[in-house]
Structures are given as C-alpha cells and as structure tokens.
Amino acid sequence: RKARRRYRPSCPCRGALFAQVIVDIANSGVDRLFTYRAEDNIILGQRVLVPFGSGNKPIEGYVLGISESYEGNIALKSIIRPLEPYSVLTHEQIRLAYWIKQSYNCLLVDALRLMIPAQLRRGRVKEKRVRTVKLADGVDPQFIRAGMPKKDGSPKSPKQKEVFDLLSESNAEMSTADICAFIPGASSAIKALIDKGYITEAGRETYRDPYAGRIPPRTMPLTLSAAQADVLEKISAAMDRREGTMLLHGVTGSGKTEVYMQAIAKALDEGGSAIVLVPEISLTPQAMDRFRGRFGEQVAVLHSRLSPGERYDEWRRIRLGKAKVVLGARSAVFAPLENIRLIVVDEEHEQSYSSEMTPRYSAIEVAQKRCKLNGGVLLLGSATPSVTSYFRAKRGRYALLELPERINDLPLPKVDIVDMRQEFAAGNTGIFSGRLYHELKACLDRNEQAILFINRRGYSTFVSCRSCGYVFKCDNCDVSMTYHKIDKLMKCHYCGRTKNIPKVCPECGKPHIKFFGVGTQQVEEQLRDSFPGVKSLRMDMDTTQTRNAHYDILSRFSRGDAQVLIGTQMVAKGLDMPNVSLVGIVAADASLHIPDYRSCERAFQLFTQVAGRAGRANGNGRVVIQTYTPDHPAVVLASRHDYKGFYEYEIAQRRAALFPPYALFVRVLFIHEDQAPLCEAEERFALGLKDAILQALKAQGADERELLFMVWGEAPIKRIDGKYRRQIVLKLARTKHTPKAVDAIYSYSNAHRSDYFCSLELNPGDMF
Ligand code: ADP
Ligand code: ZN
C-alpha cells in the first residue's frame, strides 16, 4: 500500500528500531517524546499503544520519530502494537503540529488532536463493514444452473437456485442482508453456495454516506468570462511557481466559485489535491452539490453537522487517497491530504476562521503554513475582504486579483436607506417602514420572494435614543457600550468602565432611550399582521436545532413553499436563490453598534453580503436598509456597493485611532473559583508582563510608548459557571519592534503558567 512506508534498517538484527512517541494525554508534564523499542514495520505518524508510567498502563500515542540507534542507558519498554496499519499523520502534518505548538503556544498533543478525528482516538468508532457476496470468478452460470437440478428436473435446493439466480442476474456484489430481504431465510443457502465454490465472499467495507444518497448531476467547466480567465491564469502561474498568497476580490455573483473549481481541476490534473474552506453557515447543501457535481466522489466534506461515524469515514477516505478535494469548515484545514497544490478560503473575512477554543488558531494562518510546506497556493476570496487582508494586498504581501462585475453584466441590486427616526417622528412605531412595507407588497404581488434579515449578534445590547439615533459610547475606547440587564447599567467591554442609563437622551433631551432591538419572532408576527395569509419561514438558532434543519428550510424556500424567509446571519451567505428580488435589512443598527473596533467593517460586510442575495437571476433586485443612523459610512457605502471607498474610510480610521493593522491587541484571560488568589495572581502576572514587554522594547532601542496601553481587572463577563474571570488587555503599536515584543509576551507566559492562567490571544475575535 502506498501510504504505508516501511523503514528497514540496514542493521541485520531485525526489530532493532526505536520510536519516539508522544502519548495522547493533554498534560504539560508529559508533552514530550518518549523512546520505545519498535518492530521494524513501524511507520512515522502511526498511532500505537504503549505501556506508560510506573503501572505500564496501555495508552494511545503517536510515533513522531524513528531512529536506528538509542544513546540512553535506561532499559526501554516496547510498543504494544500499532493501532492502524497505516500512519494517521503525514510527515507534513507532524511538522505542522510543531509549528502550531510554537505559534499558538499550546501543547504538542493539542496540536496533533486537531488532525485526528476525535472518534478515532480511544477506538470509539469502527469501520462499517458489510458482508457481501458475488459469483465466484470464472464460473459459468449456465453450467452451474444445469448442474443444480435433480434427475426428475426438480431443483435440488430451490433456495440455493433462487439465490444463485438473483446474483447472476444482478451480476454484481450484493450484501447478504439485501439477499435475505429478497429471499427470506437465504443465509444457509448462501453458506452452501460458498462451500461449493459457486459464490465467494467479497466483504468490502462501505463508507457511511453523508450526502444522504443525493447525487447531483455532473457539470462541465463553464467557458470563463474574460475577467475570470485572466484571474485563473494568474492563479495557474502561481501554482506553477508553487508559491504565493492571493486575494481575490470579486463582487457577489461575479463567478468566484467557478474560478475556484477550475483552479482545483488543475491541481487534480497535476496529481495534487486541494482544500476549500467555507464558513460553517454557508456550507449549504447547494454549495456541496456544486463541488460534487463537478468532481464527484473525489470530494469529501468535513463539517460539524456530520455524525461521528460519517466524519471518521470522510477523514479515512481522504487519508487513504480516495478523496482529493476537501470541502469544509474551519477544521477542514487539517485534512490529511498529501501534495496540496491549492487551498481556497472563501469569504475570507469571516470570523469563524478563528477558533475560539484552545489552540486558538487561525485557519488562514494554518492554510498559509500548509501551502508553504506543500508548495501550494493560498487563494483568499471575498466580495468584502477583511480590512487587514486588503491592507496586505495593497502593501504587496498578497497578490490582488479582481472580479469587479457580476457574471453576464447583471447589475448589483438597488439599495434604499430608510431613516427610522423620521418614521418614528411620523408616528410609525412598527417594525416595517413605509418603504419596506411598500416593497414587500410589490414583491409579493409579483409572486417573487423576499428575505428579511435581522442581526442576532448585538441584538438588544447597545443603548440608543429612538428619537435622534444617539448611541452611548465609551469615553475611553470609542466603542458602543453594552447594556447589562442584571446591573441595569451600561458597560464598556474593552476597559470595563460603567455608566448609568439616563432617563433622557443627552443629545436631543427626549425620553426615548431604548435597549431592546428586534428579534426574528417579532418580525414574523409583524409580517403575519401586515400580510395575512403570506407564508413565511424562519431560520434562526431556534429553528435550526436539528441536523438537517438548514437544508430543509432552504429547500422548502427554494421550492417556493414560502414567499418570505426571515433569518439571522444564516441567510446572509452563499445562497443563490434566483426568485429572490427583495432583501430587507430590518434593523441595521444592531450590526453597527456591536462593541468592537471591527463593528463598522463587519456591518459593511454583512450588508453587502445580504444585499448580494437579491436579484441574482435577472438583476432586478432591491434592498431596503432600515436604520437610525442613515449617514453611517458603513450604511452609505454598502448601499453604493463601494468596497474600495469603504476600505479607504476604514483604514484612515484605524490609522488615526491606532487599531489593527496599525496596532496589535493582546488579551490574557484568567479564570478561577477563588476570587482573592485570582486577583493576586493576575496582578503579579500583569506587572511582570509589563516589565518583560518594556525590556524587549528597550533592548531594541524602541520607545516605551509603543506599548500604547495596558489595563487589567475584571473581564466584561465577570463570572461564568461559578468561576471568576479577569483579563489583561494591552495594545502595541505595530512597528518593526513588535515581533520581539510578542516573543517576550509568549516566553513570559510560558514561564509563568499557573492554575489561574486560561488563554493568551493576539487580536482576539471579541473580548467578552
Ligand atoms: P460568486 O461565487 O462570486 O458569488 P458564483 O460562482 O456563484 O459567484 O457565480 C454566480 C452565478 O454565475 C452562478 O450561477 C454561476 O453558475 C454563474 N457563472 C459563473 N461563471 C460563469 C460563466 N463563466 N459563464 C456563465 N455563468 C457563470
Ligand atoms: Zn472603554
């Protein structure tokens, strides 16, 4: 077998090999290599069972090194046995694991666990084997049938004849279960036929089918537009050079996916493999069908809605070289492919590419490392690239590729902004503005479909005035303050400062302060009141609990079972529904005032993505954005589909306020049940850390003020699960001195780990 690489020593004494094994125990005390005696068929990357500790308890481990000699003088234990006949880790994955340990400051075993399905460890899932039989090779059915009857013409065994006939008619392998379903009580007949040598056991293993039997029709590569062809050519050239990171900025519906697929085809033609990462929520059945339609069985999917068994089967198909294209969410970046020529990260701006669990890796950074190790190309794609990625592209760190037009010159949808303050002043206290009501009615009358979007994140958290749109912000940090129901006050999630909520607005003096937004259910009720009889579907956290709920809701909507789809983020991404001509962003402000320096960027991205769902078939799409802050740049620029204008605006803001990419945030979180020692440990850590950073800056001759600020105290959410939470937040200006300062932060943290220390993050996704 190809995957099985043997290491035969030149030494004539068989079995004299030594394996360096890490045991599968997440404990810093044992997070290193232990040497064992091994048989000569041991493979690098194989999982093995080894005796461990003074009791020699059998523990699972990974072979990370093999050597022919051993220098130590301790008597060595021997490996008990390998767990699989093949290696579960490729050589490249082992190097990657060391890099992850280094880059994300985690245990090596935690890094390795990212690459192995949890189900494989501790033998939780078994391969699914089905017993099958087929006609024995070289048997002539006529001849055998002739030999079967008794002299008087009656069959010797009617059952055996029946089974034999069934098999020769089907002319294929059949599972014994299927045969018994056709012919009750056939098992003894099957056995007799096997004994006579007429049929043989095939007994292949089958893979569980995560596609539920759906086989999409095969598609052929489309003839590319001139712009697409140009982009593909540049990607191909980079693939030939075997290096590069490229950012593809293409508006919604510009044909990015087609470009991805043709680049993947090149990778396959040249004997390589490819990974396509998509955000979990946009991994719709529609997306899977597009890739399976083009590449068939060569596609494997990896996402969180697979059952453990399915996940394991898909992983094994990849590891054994049966699948060469992996489509999946964040964790699919670890897929055990060999010779990776291309990694595509679609919707690269999405937050979901950063893991919130230890190790807190960024799938994009991991993808970049894997491309380096394999000689592959990293292709980041988005209609709204993250400000940081675009910044890098402008600075020449990434190659910038562009698809500025929709396919077939379809126009982008026309966007109206509705000022909800005016609606309020005019006495409309409902959820729908006059404009949105009017457009909805027209859309429904034309028998077309509409999507109503509500951002769940930020829902009911920020505090604002309904009358003038004023939003309360922190005086320190210039981010929106968050309403805390329990304390009945506002709080800044960056610095912890609190404020009481005044009765009247400080801006206009009116008593219309509110802190509750709109939810999907309220929109559903309002729709029912305003348009009795119109069918709607709701897609949010509540309605998508079951495994196939997404698929069911989307397929019902695309079948036309309902005219209106009401939903959260889940409806924003990747849907290609030709009959949707109207998109309503019901409450844009919830997106604008999330307490985060990236809220403006995220809001712009979200509005652009949601708007991109409208008018994909004929270009007659319309979008209505309802907001209390109609002049907000994210709203205005999204309504004009002006990414570049937005980027220029936002990067200037970041530069002025010294936010990333011009600065770096670092957050260290501490968690413990006992408050007093926690406070003390945090304070001690903070003072030491500050010293270490300042020293690292001084040693390079840098100004100490490059440490822009450093605060420590309670985390915004003080307690979770009875455990107290405290955090250190610091900001460093990005200069040539930053890498050494970061090194100092890491080495200080490594040297001062304790029971209180929880995590260390650079530019964390949020700071709750
Ligand atoms: P994006 O990924 O940029 O949103 P898609 O790849 O989904 O865009 O393309 C939008 C639509 O245009 C899809 O229906 C796709 O099949 C179609 N399309 C893409 N490229 C071509 C092409 N070269 N010729 C014709 N249709 C195309
Ligand atoms: Zn603040």
Side-chain angles (χ1 to χ4, degrees):
R1 215 183 268 173
K2 218 175 93 216
R4 179 162 184 165
R5 195 185 287 198
R6 284 172 182 270
Y7 285 81
R8 290 196 178 277
S10 46
C11 167
C13 149
R14 253 180 64 91
L17 273 186
F18 303 94
Q20 282 79 50
V21 175
I22 183 169
V23 287
D24 195 0
I25 301 173
N27 182 319
S28 55
V30 297
D31 196 58
R32 60 191 177 86
L33 300 178
F34 294 90
T35 303
Y36 285 87
R37 269 180 201 288
E39 298 283 323
D40 73 342
N41 62 355
I42 196 77
I43 314 168
L44 192 66
Q46 204 168 20
R47 258 165 25 102
V48 289
L49 207 59
V50 293
F52 195 70
S54 52
N56 283 335
K57 194 171 159 230
I59 300 277
E60 294 179 1
Y62 307 93
V63 176
L64 298 190
I66 293 173
S67 56
E68 290 176 21
S69 59
Y70 173 68
E71 303 288 283
N73 48 12
I74 312 164
L76 290 181
K77 301 175 189 175
S78 296
I79 287 174
I80 300 170
R81 63 181 163 86
L83 288 161
E84 286 87 16
Y86 55 92
S87 61
V88 295
L89 295 161
T90 65
H91 297 202
E92 179 238 323
Q93 284 182 309
I94 295 173
R95 291 180 65 188
L96 186 68
Y98 278 106
W99 178 83
I100 287 171
K101 170 189 156 77
Q102 182 70 33
S103 308
Y104 301 107
N105 197 30
C106 66
L107 299 180
L108 184 58
V109 76
D110 280 332
L112 292 168
R113 284 177 177 181
L114 294 169
M115 302 178 198
I116 310 286
Q119 299 78 16
L120 190 66
R121 298 167 38 224
R122 308 200 197 300
R124 273 175 283 217
V125 178
K126 289 282 156 281
E127 286 152 25
K128 188 172 155 193
R129 235 171 226 286
V130 175
R131 198 171 155 237
T132 55
V133 290
K134 62 176 176 99
L135 293 194
D137 288 338
V139 303
D140 176 356
Q142 292 301 345
F143 175 77
I144 289 169
R145 237 180 247 121
M148 270 175 148
K150 286 187 190 161
K151 287 226 172 61
D152 63 3
S154 67
K156 275 183 198 157
S157 160
K159 273 268 157 63
Q160 284 181 33
K161 184 169 184 309
E162 251 184 292
V163 171
F164 191 84
D165 285 344
L166 183 67
L167 273 172
S168 55
E169 273 159 33
S170 76
N171 197 21
E173 271 173 39
M174 280 184 90
S175 78
T176 50
D178 284 354
I179 297 173
C180 292
F182 280 108
I183 306 164
S187 32
S188 57
I190 292 171
K191 187 172 179 304
L193 287 167
I194 292 174
D195 288 347
K196 289 178 185 165
Y198 294 160
I199 67 175
T200 57
E201 215 161 330
R204 80 199 140 101
E205 49 190 328
T206 59
Y207 293 93
R208 278 154 282 231
D209 179 12
Y211 315 98
R214 279 180 305 117
I215 300 169
R218 210 47 193 244
T219 64
M220 296 305 287
L222 300 172
T223 307
L224 297 182
S225 70
Q228 283 174 315
D230 186 47
V231 164
L232 182 64
E233 200 171 296
K234 289 183 175 134
I235 298 168
S236 300
M239 287 172 74
D240 291 338
R241 286 197 306 276
R242 308 214 54 157
E243 64 168 0
T245 300
M246 317 186 95
L247 176 65
L248 172 55
H249 174 215
V251 299
T252 54
S254 60
K256 294 188 287 297
T257 312
E258 184 62 33
V259 171
Y260 301 156
M261 290 198 289
Q262 298 202 15
I264 293 166
K266 175 183 163 75
L268 296 179
D269 283 349
E270 295 173 2
S273 63
I275 300 176
V276 183
L277 298 183
V278 295
E280 183 81 54
I281 41 178
S282 64
L283 191 51
T284 57
Q286 234 188 357
M288 289 198 271
D289 286 356
R290 276 180 90 173
F291 284 88
R292 293 223 312 144
R294 188 66 56 88
F295 302 110
E297 298 252 291
Q298 292 200 79
V299 179
V301 294
L302 291 175
H303 57 78
S304 65
R305 291 187 304 279
L306 295 180
S307 73
E310 287 168 349
R311 202 178 167 75
Y312 168 58
D313 282 355
E314 288 292 85
W315 178 85
R316 209 158 38 99
R317 266 186 350 109
I318 301 163
R319 181 66 194 101
L320 300 179
K322 296 196 165 86
K324 293 245 158 68
V325 180
V326 175
L327 174 64
R330 179 175 68 217
S331 62
V333 75
F334 298 108
L337 288 166
E338 290 180 79
N339 193 13
I340 297 171
R341 296 292 307 276
L342 178 71
I343 301 182
V344 175
V345 182
D346 193 27
E347 315 274 14
E348 66 87 30
H349 61 277
E350 279 290 318
Q351 274 164 276
S352 62
Y353 290 122
S354 294
S355 171
E356 286 122 36
M357 284 174 296
T358 318
R360 297 185 175 234
Y361 67 90
S362 146
I364 294 180
E365 289 168 4
V366 174
Q368 192 158 29
K369 182 66 187 175
R370 287 200 85 176
C371 284
K372 280 226 179 74
L373 291 171
N374 281 277
V377 167
L378 175 60
L379 177 58
L380 308 172
S382 176
T384 52
S386 79
V387 167
T388 306
S389 294
Y390 204 76
F391 178 78
R392 289 182 181 151
K394 287 224 144 183
R395 292 276 174 109
R397 274 177 67 191
Y398 299 166
L400 184 61
L401 310 172
E402 292 178 303
L403 290 175
E405 314 277 342
R406 276 188 167 181
I407 282 290
N408 297 332
D409 297 326
L410 282 182
L412 287 159
K414 186 174 174 321
V415 183
D416 289 320
I417 301 171
V418 177
D419 185 345
M420 293 303 277
R421 293 171 306 186
Q422 284 176 14
E423 294 284 320
F424 187 74
N428 178 4
T429 55
I431 292 174
F432 299 148
S433 61
R435 174 100 245 164
L436 182 54
Y437 176 86
H438 176 81
E439 291 293 343
L440 253 176
K441 185 161 188 326
C443 169
L444 298 173
D445 287 347
R446 288 194 306 266
N447 237 335
E448 292 170 346
Q449 290 178 302
I451 293 178
L452 296 178
F453 168 77
I454 298 98
N455 191 352
R456 199 189 64 89
R457 222 180 145 235
Y459 157 62
S460 88
T461 57
F462 70 99
V463 184
S464 72
C465 170
R466 270 200 98 162
S467 196
C468 75
Y470 178 82
V471 173
F472 288 85
K473 285 190 167 185
C474 173
D475 304 332
N476 258 356
C477 305
D478 198 39
V479 295
S480 321
M481 298 190 84
T482 296
Y483 176 62
H484 276 240
K485 207 170 175 180
I486 308 161
D487 312 326
K488 295 215 166 34
L489 41 74
M490 297 181 281
K491 196 163 186 172
C492 170
H493 276 189
Y494 276 68
C495 69
R497 171 178 294 224
T498 59
K499 268 189 201 174
N500 289 319
I501 299 165
K503 293 267 178 306
V504 298
C505 172
E507 192 77 10
C508 71
K510 300 220 175 79
H512 299 308
I513 307 288
K514 67 149 195 175
F515 28 78
F516 288 112
V518 186
T520 43
Q521 269 165 342
Q522 286 155 283
V523 174
E524 193 180 36
E525 280 158 26
Q526 176 85 61
L527 185 76
R528 218 173 285 149
D529 288 350
S530 306
F531 300 97
V534 166
K535 286 217 186 95
S536 66
L537 286 163
R538 191 156 61 89
M539 187 146 119
D540 55 24
M541 293 288 265
D542 295 336
T543 61
T544 50
Q545 295 291 327
T546 57
R547 197 150 91 92
N548 291 319
H550 284 91
Y551 178 62
D552 291 343
I553 294 173
L554 292 178
S555 44
R556 282 169 63 197
F557 188 58
S558 70
R559 270 205 310 268
D561 284 5
Q563 264 190 290
V564 184
L565 178 65
I566 302 165
T568 56
Q569 265 77 338
M570 300 169 193
V571 302
K573 313 286 154 64
L575 298 186
D576 196 12
M577 303 265 184
N579 200 29
V580 172
S581 64
L582 174 67
V583 166
I585 297 176
V586 176
D589 303 78
S591 307
L592 294 171
H593 306 305
I594 291 167
D596 188 318
Y597 69 90
R598 283 158 295 201
S599 66
C600 189
E601 172 181 1
R602 301 233 168 100
F604 175 84
Q605 287 161 343
L606 200 54
F607 299 160
T608 308
Q609 297 283 346
V610 187
R613 300 311 112 209
R616 287 173 76 90
N618 56 15
N620 288 335
R622 275 199 102 88
V623 180
V624 177
I625 303 182
Q626 302 192 144
T627 173
Y628 288 91
T629 44
D631 303 325
H632 197 291
V635 174
V636 175
L637 293 164
S639 78
R640 297 187 199 140
H641 308 288
D642 184 4
Y643 175 81
K644 286 182 186 168
F646 173 76
Y647 172 79
E648 293 303 337
Y649 162 79
E650 182 65 18
I651 201 77
Q653 298 285 312
R654 302 274 181 97
R655 194 184 300 123
L658 282 176
F659 276 130
Y662 296 98
L664 177 76
F665 275 106
V666 179
R667 189 266 285 263
V668 193
L669 186 67
F670 297 82
I671 296 184
H672 203 263
E673 293 97 10
D674 296 328
Q675 202 171 6
L678 175 67
C679 284
E680 202 184 300
E682 189 208 25
E683 169 123 15
R684 209 176 328 116
F685 191 101
L687 293 171
L689 180 62
K690 189 166 187 175
D691 241 28
I693 296 170
L694 292 179
Q695 269 182 26
L697 289 174
K698 249 188 273 167
Q700 302 176 78
D703 191 327
E704 288 193 356
R705 281 172 301 180
E706 286 191 16
L707 176 59
L708 295 165
F709 79 72
M710 176 158 172
V711 291
W712 55 94
E714 281 177 348
I717 301 176
K718 284 186 267 190
R719 254 175 108 176
I720 292 181
D721 273 352
K723 289 187 178 166
Y724 292 92
R725 307 168 84 242
R726 298 180 71 85
Q727 69 180 20
I728 301 171
V729 177
L730 65 92
K731 191 159 97 166
L732 279 166
R734 264 239 193 245
T735 66
K736 61 178 193 286
H737 310 119
T738 317
K740 287 246 164 65
V742 170
D743 287 347
I745 294 171
Y746 273 137
S747 50
Y748 182 84
S749 307
N750 277 332
H752 296 84
R753 273 177 186 276
S754 66
D755 292 347
Y756 306 97
F757 179 90
C758 171
S759 65
L760 170 86
E761 290 160 277
L762 305 188
N763 287 336
D766 55 43
M767 303 216 211
F768 303 125

